[in-house]
Amino acid sequence: AMGAVGDPVAVTARLAELASHYHLVSPATSCDGLPEGCGVAVSLVHVDLSQEAKEVYSVGDRQALSGSTLDRIAGAAGLSWDPLRSGRLDDGRDPHYCHFRAVGTVRNFDGSERTVSGEVEIDARDGSPQIEEIVAKAKSARGGPRDPSLQIRELRKFLLRHAESKARNRAIACMGVRRSYAPAELRKPFAVARLMWTGQTS
């Protein structure tokens, strides 16, 4: 992390500089004022593109960030999940269907709270579009057709966990993180700006 900057003009200049060298994740691209005793700190989040690290996965010729990588960016931004407003939106009666909303808050530079949220529906019932897609992809897999039943079973077994993590990923994407990047783009780290208490006042 880089030391916190407490002067709004200096913060705005720093953000512009960071945006030209990194993927900037910030509540705003400029700063008009800061609460007394607060500054803006920046953390760099590097992404390991090696297959062993499992920090990215391929989507065609592009790379998408894994859930654990998005969690690191969210942590650096100070995102905190709201357990009261997050949860299932369906009644949970169908074991193969889940509709989940994840809600979190992150602080703006003026100290106010901003809500980010993401919703996802996973329909793992026989014949649903999501199941049909898994079956179609298994049939036309690169190394020849494969059996989709294992993937379907895994999806159903951890349905709630999958729905929650996908909903959280969507909420994090609201903070300015794109869904996918060209591999060369991810050589640049993410510069994540957040408001923090420094105790230094005028």
Side-chain angles (χ1 to χ4, degrees), residues 3-169:
V5 178
D7 170 44
V9 176
V11 169
T12 298
R14 165 77 72 86
L15 292 173
E17 187 192 345
L18 290 168
S20 63
H21 294 100
Y22 304 103
H23 300 291
L24 180 64
V25 179
S26 169
T29 52
S30 64
C31 178
D32 299 327
L34 293 164
E36 192 76 16
C38 289
V40 172
V42 175
S43 309
L44 291 183
V45 176
H46 296 265
V47 180
D48 186 339
L49 298 178
S50 68
Q51 275 189 311
E52 305 79 64
K54 291 188 165 62
E55 291 189 2
V56 293
Y57 59 93
S58 296
V59 180
D61 56 355
R62 294 174 71 77
Q63 299 281 299
L65 303 176
S66 72
S68 60
T69 308
L70 289 169
D71 283 342
R72 280 169 43 220
I73 292 170
L79 175 64
S80 57
W81 298 109
D82 185 333
L84 297 176
R85 289 191 290 166
S86 302
R88 281 186 91 139
L89 299 178
D90 63 296
D91 59 16
R93 274 193 302 211
D94 192 316
H96 295 156
Y97 175 83
C98 182
H99 186 183
F100 198 96
R101 179 190 290 147
V103 180
T105 53
V106 66
R107 290 218 173 271
N108 292 317
F109 290 150
D110 64 3
S112 63
E113 277 194 347
R114 181 161 66 103
T115 299
V116 294
S117 70
E119 255 181 57
V120 81
E121 281 182 87
I122 297 185
D123 188 348
R125 295 175 287 201
D126 287 336
S128 76
Q130 279 166 307
I131 293 297
E132 294 295 321
E133 190 184 351
I134 291 172
V135 171
K137 278 184 177 167
K139 273 184 189 162
S140 60
R142 267 193 199 151
R146 57 180 172 77
D147 181 6
S149 60
L150 192 70
Q151 191 184 347
I152 293 168
R153 207 160 52 236
E154 200 270 347
L155 177 65
R156 287 173 173 169
K157 188 177 175 185
F158 300 110
L159 190 73
L160 180 60
R161 193 193 303 173
H162 283 302
E164 181 176 11
S165 64
K166 283 182 189 299
R168 283 186 172 198
N169 293 352

Side-chain angles (χ1 to χ4, degrees), residues 169-191:
N169 293 352
R170 285 199 179 160
I172 295 166
C174 295
M175 293 163 53
V177 183
R178 299 210 311 267
R179 300 301 297 185
S180 67
Y181 296 84
E185 289 182 294
L186 289 177
R187 295 199 189 102
K188 290 195 300 187
F190 288 81

